[in-house]
Amino acid sequence: MTFRLLALALWAALSASSVHAERAANAASSLLAAEKQGLQTASAQHLQQLVTPTARGMAKINYDRAWLASVPEPAGGEQWRCLAEALYFEARGETVKGQFAVAEVILNRVDNPNYPSSVCGVINQGTGQKYACQFTYTCDGHPEHISEKGAFDQVGKVAKVMLSGAPRKLTDGATHYHTTAVRPRWARKFPMTAEIGVHRFYRQPTRISMN
């Protein structure tokens, strides 16, 4: 593969998230500059130096612990923390795939004009009145203690990968989910898009019949 094609692939992977747009442009420019110097192919080692681990992961995500172990230790700001905490309290007992699926729902809501436009806004929507919120752990009256560091480190990696622009292909645009132990009334009107682990996922219809 030539540097030009590699540059395009790199730019596509990184620019999937606006956070990485400038990095994508700089890295692609580096590859094209190398091509002008007469280099036609890139070694795997050179590519590893240019492409960030998160960008490499976005090309192909394996929803298992082995793949997630290869992701660097997570770090981030407020939005990352909100998503990581939501995954910890809502899905830490789920499989890696199930955790990614829950993250998809939250980010799908961020993109939906019917919900707040930030991760923290979506997660804390309705918080303040007991059991009137969107995510129960934020309004159930119980203190939110993160006592399982290993579990939090894992969901923190999931949150980082998703916020870096990973594809959302598990839940087909779902904006809602519930555990298989319950059957909320709204689930009868929303089309189910997936069932992963103990969660069922649903896409909010454009119009809801009241009949």
Side-chain angles (χ1 to χ4, degrees):
M1 183 181 291
T2 68
F3 272 100
R4 184 172 298 278
L5 291 177
L6 288 166
L8 291 174
L10 175 62
W11 180 87
L14 285 173
S15 61
S17 170
S18 59
V19 173
H20 297 291
E22 182 177 355
R23 185 188 301 169
N26 291 339
S29 295
S30 297
L31 285 170
L32 292 174
E35 182 187 39
K36 288 181 180 180
Q37 294 173 2
L39 300 173
Q40 294 300 313
T41 60
S43 67
Q45 182 179 5
H46 185 64
L47 283 178
Q48 291 291 327
Q49 294 171 349
L50 286 173
V51 185
T52 65
T54 300
R56 291 197 302 271
M58 286 194 296
K60 178 175 173 56
I61 296 176
N62 294 323
Y63 299 103
D64 56 47
R65 291 179 182 272
W67 179 86
L68 201 60
S70 69
V71 176
E73 288 300 313
E78 181 184 17
Q79 301 303 308
W80 167 79
R81 182 76 186 189
C82 283
L83 183 55
E85 287 182 354
L87 295 178
Y88 178 86
F89 290 110
E90 291 280 312
R92 70 180 180 274
E94 270 283 16
T95 62
V96 170
K97 186 176 183 180
Q99 291 167 358
F100 270 98
V102 171
E104 283 189 21
V105 168
I106 293 170
L107 294 181
N108 286 341
R109 286 194 175 196
V110 173
D111 292 342
N112 189 311
N114 293 322
Y115 299 93
S117 58
S118 71
V119 172
C120 294
V122 163
I123 292 168
N124 291 301
Q125 186 178 18
T127 299
Q129 185 176 352
K130 194 170 184 179
Y131 298 124
C133 56
Q134 297 293 307
F135 295 88
T136 305
Y137 80 92
T138 69
C139 68
D140 60 5
H142 300 302
E144 298 159 19
H145 295 311
I146 296 175
S147 57
E148 301 174 36
K149 184 180 183 302
F152 185 75
D153 287 345
Q154 175 170 306
V155 296
K157 290 183 177 185
V158 173
K160 189 68 172 180
V161 171
M162 291 302 295
L163 288 173
S164 295
R168 305 174 206 165
K169 57 185 180 181
L170 295 175
T171 63
D172 193 21
T175 53
H176 292 69
Y177 65 89
H178 66 77
T179 69
T180 53
V182 300
R183 183 68 173 175
R185 293 176 62 184
W186 55 260
R188 293 178 296 178
K189 302 177 184 293
F190 287 35
M192 190 172 79
T193 61
E195 182 170 342
I196 301 172
V198 300
H199 286 121
R200 289 178 180 149
F201 297 85
Y202 299 79
R203 185 170 52 249
Q204 185 169 346
T206 55
R207 298 183 62 183
I208 301 176
S209 172
M210 302 306 294
N211 296 327

Coordinates of all heavy atoms in Angstrom, one line a residue, residues 41-106:
T41 N 6.4 2.7 0.3 CA 5.7 1.8 1.3 C 6.1 2.1 2.7 O 7.1 2.7 2.9 CB 5.9 0.3 1.0 OG1 7.3 0.1 1.1 CG2 5.5 -0.1 -0.4
A42 N 5.2 1.8 3.6 CA 5.5 2.1 5.0 C 5.6 0.8 5.7 O 4.8 -0.1 5.5 CB 4.3 2.9 5.6
S43 N 6.6 0.8 6.6 CA 6.7 -0.4 7.4 C 5.6 -0.4 8.5 O 5.1 0.6 8.9 CB 8.1 -0.5 8.1 OG 8.2 0.6 9.0
A44 N 5.3 -1.6 9.0 CA 4.4 -1.7 10.1 C 4.8 -0.9 11.3 O 4.0 -0.3 12.0 CB 4.2 -3.2 10.5
Q45 N 6.1 -0.9 11.6 CA 6.6 -0.2 12.7 C 6.4 1.3 12.6 O 6.0 2.0 13.5 CB 8.1 -0.4 12.9 CG 8.7 0.3 14.1 CD 10.2 0.0 14.3 OE1 10.8 -0.7 13.4 NE2 10.8 0.5 15.4
H46 N 6.6 1.9 11.3 CA 6.4 3.3 11.1 C 4.9 3.7 11.3 O 4.6 4.7 11.9 CB 6.8 3.7 9.7 CG 6.7 5.1 9.4 ND1 7.5 6.1 10.0 CD2 6.0 5.8 8.5 CE1 7.2 7.3 9.6 NE2 6.3 7.1 8.7
L47 N 4.0 2.8 10.8 CA 2.6 3.1 11.0 C 2.2 3.1 12.5 O 1.4 3.9 12.9 CB 1.8 2.0 10.2 CG 1.7 2.2 8.7 CD1 0.9 1.1 8.1 CD2 1.1 3.6 8.4
Q48 N 2.8 2.1 13.2 CA 2.5 2.1 14.6 C 2.8 3.4 15.3 O 2.2 3.8 16.3 CB 3.2 0.9 15.3 CG 2.7 -0.5 14.8 CD 1.3 -0.8 15.3 OE1 1.0 -0.4 16.4 NE2 0.6 -1.5 14.6
Q49 N 3.9 4.0 14.9 CA 4.3 5.3 15.5 C 3.4 6.4 15.2 O 3.2 7.4 15.9 CB 5.7 5.6 15.0 CG 6.8 4.6 15.5 CD 8.1 4.9 14.9 OE1 8.3 5.6 13.9 NE2 9.2 4.2 15.4
L50 N 2.7 6.4 14.0 CA 1.9 7.5 13.6 C 0.4 7.3 14.0 O -0.2 8.3 14.2 CB 1.9 7.6 12.0 CG 3.2 8.1 11.4 CD1 3.2 8.0 9.9 CD2 3.5 9.6 11.9
V51 N 0.0 6.1 14.1 CA -1.5 5.9 14.4 C -1.6 5.7 15.8 O -0.9 4.8 16.4 CB -2.0 4.7 13.6 CG1 -3.5 4.6 13.8 CG2 -1.7 4.9 12.1
T52 N -2.5 6.4 16.5 CA -2.7 6.2 17.9 C -3.4 4.9 18.2 O -4.1 4.4 17.4 CB -3.6 7.4 18.5 OG1 -4.9 7.2 17.9 CG2 -3.0 8.7 18.2
P53 N -3.2 4.3 19.4 CA -3.9 3.1 19.7 C -5.4 3.1 19.6 O -6.0 2.2 19.1 CB -3.5 2.8 21.2 CG -2.2 3.5 21.3 CD -2.3 4.8 20.5
T54 N -6.0 4.3 20.0 CA -7.4 4.4 19.9 C -7.8 4.4 18.4 O -8.8 3.7 18.0 CB -7.9 5.7 20.5 OG1 -7.5 5.6 21.9 CG2 -9.4 5.8 20.4
A55 N -7.1 5.1 17.5 CA -7.4 5.1 16.1 C -7.3 3.7 15.5 O -8.1 3.3 14.7 CB -6.6 6.1 15.4
R56 N -6.2 3.0 15.9 CA -6.1 1.6 15.4 C -7.3 0.8 15.8 O -7.8 0.0 15.0 CB -4.8 1.0 15.9 CG -3.5 1.6 15.4 CD -2.3 0.7 15.6 NE -2.1 0.4 17.0 CZ -1.4 1.2 17.8 NH1 -0.8 2.3 17.4 NH2 -1.2 0.8 19.1
G57 N -7.7 1.0 17.0 CA -8.8 0.2 17.5 C -10.1 0.4 16.8 O -11.0 -0.4 16.7
M58 N -10.3 1.7 16.4 CA -11.5 2.0 15.7 C -11.7 1.3 14.4 O -12.8 1.1 13.9 CB -11.6 3.5 15.5 CG -11.9 4.3 16.7 SD -12.4 6.0 16.4 CE -10.9 6.7 15.6
A59 N -10.6 0.9 13.8 CA -10.7 0.2 12.5 C -11.4 -1.2 12.7 O -12.1 -1.6 11.9 CB -9.3 0.0 11.9
K60 N -11.1 -1.8 13.8 CA -11.7 -3.1 14.1 C -11.7 -3.4 15.6 O -10.6 -3.5 16.3 CB -10.9 -4.3 13.4 CG -11.4 -5.7 13.8 CD -10.7 -6.7 13.0 CE -11.1 -8.1 13.4 NZ -12.6 -8.3 13.3
I61 N -12.9 -3.4 16.2 CA -13.0 -3.6 17.6 C -13.4 -5.0 17.8 O -14.4 -5.5 17.2 CB -14.1 -2.6 18.2 CG1 -13.6 -1.2 18.1 CG2 -14.3 -3.0 19.7 CD1 -14.6 -0.2 18.6
N62 N -12.7 -5.7 18.7 CA -13.1 -7.0 19.1 C -13.7 -6.9 20.5 O -13.1 -6.4 21.4 CB -11.9 -8.0 19.2 CG -11.3 -8.3 17.9 OD1 -12.0 -8.4 16.9 ND2 -10.0 -8.4 17.8
Y63 N -15.0 -7.2 20.6 CA -15.7 -7.0 21.9 C -15.4 -8.1 22.9 O -16.3 -8.8 23.3 CB -17.2 -6.9 21.6 CG -17.6 -5.7 20.7 CD1 -17.9 -6.0 19.3 CD2 -17.6 -4.4 21.1 CE1 -18.2 -5.0 18.5 CE2 -17.9 -3.4 20.2 CZ -18.2 -3.6 18.9 OH -18.5 -2.6 18.1
D64 N -14.2 -8.1 23.4 CA -13.8 -9.1 24.4 C -12.7 -8.5 25.3 O -12.1 -7.4 25.0 CB -13.3 -10.4 23.8 CG -12.2 -10.2 22.8 OD1 -11.2 -9.4 23.1 OD2 -12.2 -10.7 21.7
R65 N -12.4 -9.1 26.4 CA -11.5 -8.6 27.4 C -10.0 -8.6 26.8 O -9.3 -7.7 27.2 CB -11.5 -9.5 28.7 CG -12.8 -9.3 29.4 CD -12.8 -10.2 30.7 NE -14.1 -10.1 31.4 CZ -14.3 -9.2 32.3 NH1 -13.4 -8.3 32.7 NH2 -15.5 -9.1 33.0
A66 N -9.7 -9.6 26.0 CA -8.4 -9.6 25.5 C -8.1 -8.4 24.6 O -7.0 -7.8 24.7 CB -8.2 -10.9 24.6
W67 N -9.0 -8.0 23.7 CA -8.8 -6.8 22.9 C -8.8 -5.6 23.8 O -7.9 -4.7 23.6 CB -9.9 -6.7 21.9 CG -9.7 -5.4 21.1 CD1 -9.0 -5.3 19.9 CD2 -10.3 -4.1 21.3 NE1 -9.0 -4.0 19.5 CE2 -9.8 -3.3 20.3 CE3 -11.2 -3.6 22.3 CZ2 -10.2 -1.9 20.3 CZ3 -11.5 -2.3 22.3 CH2 -11.1 -1.5 21.2
L68 N -9.7 -5.5 24.8 CA -9.8 -4.3 25.6 C -8.5 -4.1 26.4 O -8.1 -3.0 26.7 CB -11.0 -4.4 26.5 CG -11.5 -3.0 27.1 CD1 -11.9 -2.1 25.9 CD2 -12.7 -3.3 28.0
A69 N -7.9 -5.2 26.8 CA -6.6 -5.2 27.6 C -5.5 -4.5 26.8 O -4.6 -3.9 27.4 CB -6.2 -6.6 28.0
S70 N -5.6 -4.5 25.5 CA -4.6 -3.8 24.6 C -4.8 -2.3 24.5 O -3.9 -1.6 24.0 CB -4.6 -4.4 23.2 OG -5.8 -4.0 22.5
V71 N -5.9 -1.8 25.0 CA -6.2 -0.4 24.9 C -5.5 0.3 26.1 O -5.5 -0.2 27.2 CB -7.7 -0.1 25.0 CG1 -8.0 1.4 25.1 CG2 -8.4 -0.8 23.9
P72 N -4.8 1.4 25.8 CA -4.0 2.1 26.9 C -5.0 2.5 28.1 O -6.2 2.6 27.9 CB -3.5 3.3 26.2 CG -3.5 3.0 24.8 CD -4.6 2.1 24.5
E73 N -4.4 2.7 29.2 CA -5.1 3.1 30.4 C -5.8 4.4 30.1 O -5.3 5.3 29.5 CB -4.2 3.3 31.6 CG -3.6 2.0 32.2 CD -4.7 1.1 32.7 OE1 -5.6 1.6 33.4 OE2 -4.7 -0.1 32.3
P74 N -7.1 4.5 30.5 CA -7.9 5.6 30.1 C -7.7 6.9 30.9 O -7.2 6.8 32.1 CB -9.4 5.1 30.3 CG -9.2 4.1 31.4 CD -7.9 3.5 31.2
A75 N -7.9 8.0 30.3 CA -7.9 9.3 31.1 C -8.7 10.2 30.3 O -8.8 10.1 29.0 CB -6.4 9.8 31.2
G76 N -9.3 11.1 30.9 CA -10.2 12.1 30.2 C -10.8 13.1 31.1 O -10.5 13.2 32.3
G77 N -11.6 13.9 30.5 CA -12.2 15.0 31.2 C -13.6 14.6 31.8 O -13.9 13.4 32.0
E78 N -14.4 15.6 32.0 CA -15.7 15.4 32.6 C -16.6 14.5 31.8 O -17.3 13.6 32.4 CB -16.4 16.8 32.8 CG -17.8 16.7 33.5 CD -18.5 18.1 33.5 OE1 -18.1 19.0 32.8 OE2 -19.4 18.2 34.3
Q79 N -16.7 14.6 30.5 CA -17.6 13.8 29.7 C -17.2 12.3 29.8 O -18.0 11.4 29.9 CB -17.6 14.3 28.3 CG -18.1 15.7 28.1 CD -19.4 16.0 28.7 OE1 -20.4 15.3 28.4 NE2 -19.5 17.0 29.6
W80 N -15.8 12.1 29.7 CA -15.3 10.7 29.9 C -15.7 10.2 31.2 O -16.2 9.0 31.3 CB -13.8 10.7 29.7 CG -13.3 9.3 30.1 CD1 -13.3 8.2 29.4 CD2 -12.6 9.1 31.4 NE1 -12.7 7.2 30.2 CE2 -12.3 7.7 31.4 CE3 -12.3 9.8 32.5 CZ2 -11.7 7.1 32.5 CZ3 -11.7 9.2 33.6 CH2 -11.4 7.8 33.6
R81 N -15.6 11.0 32.3 CA -15.9 10.5 33.6 C -17.3 10.1 33.8 O -17.7 9.1 34.3 CB -15.5 11.6 34.7 CG -15.7 11.1 36.1 CD -14.7 10.2 36.6 NE -15.0 9.7 38.0 CZ -14.2 9.0 38.7 NH1 -13.0 8.7 38.2 NH2 -14.5 8.6 39.9
C82 N -18.2 11.0 33.2 CA -19.6 10.7 33.3 C -20.0 9.4 32.6 O -20.8 8.6 33.1 CB -20.4 11.9 32.6 SG -20.5 13.4 33.7
L83 N -19.4 9.2 31.4 CA -19.7 8.0 30.7 C -19.2 6.7 31.4 O -19.8 5.7 31.5 CB -19.2 8.0 29.2 CG -19.5 6.8 28.3 CD1 -21.0 6.6 28.2 CD2 -18.9 7.1 26.9
A84 N -17.9 6.8 31.9 CA -17.3 5.7 32.6 C -18.2 5.3 33.8 O -18.4 4.2 34.1 CB -15.9 6.0 33.0
E85 N -18.6 6.4 34.6 CA -19.4 6.1 35.8 C -20.7 5.4 35.4 O -21.2 4.5 36.1 CB -19.6 7.4 36.6 CG -18.4 7.9 37.3 CD -18.6 9.1 38.1 OE1 -19.8 9.7 38.0 OE2 -17.7 9.5 38.8
A86 N -21.4 5.9 34.3 CA -22.6 5.3 33.9 C -22.5 3.9 33.5 O -23.3 3.0 33.9 CB -23.2 6.1 32.7
L87 N -21.4 3.6 32.8 CA -21.1 2.2 32.4 C -20.8 1.3 33.7 O -21.2 0.2 33.8 CB -20.0 2.1 31.5 CG -20.2 2.8 30.1 CD1 -19.0 2.7 29.2 CD2 -21.4 2.1 29.4
Y88 N -20.2 1.9 34.7 CA -19.8 1.2 35.9 C -21.1 0.8 36.6 O -21.3 -0.4 37.0 CB -18.9 2.0 36.8 CG -18.6 1.4 38.1 CD1 -17.5 0.5 38.2 CD2 -19.3 1.6 39.2 CE1 -17.1 -0.1 39.4 CE2 -18.9 1.0 40.4 CZ -17.9 0.2 40.5 OH -17.6 -0.4 41.7
F89 N -22.0 1.8 36.8 CA -23.2 1.5 37.6 C -24.3 0.8 36.9 O -25.1 0.1 37.5 CB -23.7 2.8 38.2 CG -22.8 3.4 39.3 CD1 -22.1 4.6 39.0 CD2 -22.6 2.8 40.5 CE1 -21.2 5.1 40.0 CE2 -21.8 3.3 41.5 CZ -21.1 4.5 41.2
E90 N -24.3 1.0 35.6 CA -25.3 0.4 34.8 C -25.0 -1.0 34.2 O -25.8 -1.8 33.9 CB -25.7 1.3 33.6 CG -26.4 2.6 34.1 CD -27.9 2.4 34.4 OE1 -28.6 1.8 33.6 OE2 -28.3 2.8 35.5
A91 N -23.6 -1.2 33.9 CA -23.3 -2.4 33.1 C -22.0 -3.0 33.5 O -21.5 -3.8 32.7 CB -23.2 -2.0 31.6
R92 N -21.4 -2.8 34.7 CA -20.1 -3.4 35.0 C -20.2 -4.9 35.0 O -19.2 -5.6 34.8 CB -19.6 -2.8 36.3 CG -20.2 -3.2 37.6 CD -19.5 -2.6 38.7 NE -20.1 -2.9 40.0 CZ -21.2 -2.2 40.6 NH1 -21.7 -1.2 39.9 NH2 -21.6 -2.6 41.8
G93 N -21.4 -5.5 35.3 CA -21.5 -6.9 35.3 C -21.8 -7.5 34.0 O -21.8 -8.8 33.9
E94 N -21.9 -6.7 33.0 CA -22.2 -7.2 31.6 C -20.9 -7.6 30.9 O -19.7 -7.3 31.4 CB -22.8 -6.1 30.8 CG -24.3 -6.1 30.9 CD -24.9 -7.2 30.0 OE1 -24.2 -8.2 29.6 OE2 -26.1 -7.2 29.7
T95 N -21.0 -8.3 29.8 CA -19.8 -8.6 28.9 C -19.3 -7.3 28.4 O -20.0 -6.2 28.4 CB -20.2 -9.5 27.8 OG1 -21.2 -8.8 27.0 CG2 -20.8 -10.8 28.3
V96 N -18.1 -7.3 27.8 CA -17.5 -6.2 27.1 C -18.5 -5.7 26.0 O -18.7 -4.5 25.9 CB -16.1 -6.5 26.5 CG1 -15.6 -5.4 25.6 CG2 -15.1 -6.7 27.7
K97 N -19.0 -6.6 25.3 CA -20.0 -6.2 24.2 C -21.2 -5.5 24.8 O -21.6 -4.5 24.2 CB -20.4 -7.5 23.5 CG -21.3 -7.2 22.2 CD -21.6 -8.5 21.5 CE -22.4 -8.3 20.2 NZ -22.7 -9.6 19.5
G98 N -21.7 -6.0 25.9 CA -22.8 -5.4 26.5 C -22.5 -4.0 27.0 O -23.3 -3.1 27.0
Q99 N -21.3 -3.8 27.5 CA -20.9 -2.4 28.0 C -20.8 -1.5 26.8 O -21.2 -0.3 26.9 CB -19.5 -2.5 28.7 CG -19.7 -3.3 30.0 CD -18.3 -3.7 30.7 OE1 -17.3 -3.4 30.1 NE2 -18.4 -4.3 31.8
F100 N -20.2 -1.9 25.7 CA -20.2 -1.1 24.5 C -21.6 -0.7 24.0 O -21.8 0.4 23.6 CB -19.4 -1.8 23.4 CG -17.9 -1.5 23.4 CD1 -17.0 -2.4 23.9 CD2 -17.4 -0.3 22.8 CE1 -15.7 -2.2 23.9 CE2 -16.1 -0.1 22.8 CZ -15.2 -1.0 23.4
A101 N -22.5 -1.7 24.1 CA -23.9 -1.4 23.7 C -24.5 -0.4 24.5 O -25.2 0.5 24.0 CB -24.7 -2.7 23.8
V102 N -24.3 -0.4 25.8 CA -24.9 0.6 26.7 C -24.3 2.0 26.4 O -25.0 3.0 26.3 CB -24.7 0.3 28.2 CG1 -25.1 1.5 29.1 CG2 -25.5 -0.9 28.5
A103 N -23.0 2.0 26.1 CA -22.3 3.3 25.7 C -22.9 3.8 24.4 O -23.1 5.0 24.3 CB -20.8 3.1 25.6
E104 N -23.3 2.9 23.5 CA -23.9 3.4 22.3 C -25.2 4.1 22.5 O -25.5 5.2 21.9 CB -24.2 2.2 21.3 CG -22.9 1.7 20.6 CD -23.3 0.6 19.6 OE1 -24.5 0.6 19.1 OE2 -22.4 -0.2 19.2
V105 N -26.0 3.6 23.4 CA -27.3 4.2 23.7 C -27.1 5.6 24.2 O -27.8 6.6 23.8 CB -28.1 3.4 24.7 CG1 -29.3 4.2 25.3 CG2 -28.5 2.1 24.1
I106 N -26.1 5.8 25.1 CA -25.9 7.1 25.7 C -25.4 8.1 24.6 O -25.9 9.2 24.6 CB -24.9 7.0 26.8 CG1 -25.5 6.2 28.0 CG2 -24.4 8.4 27.3 CD1 -24.5 5.8 29.1

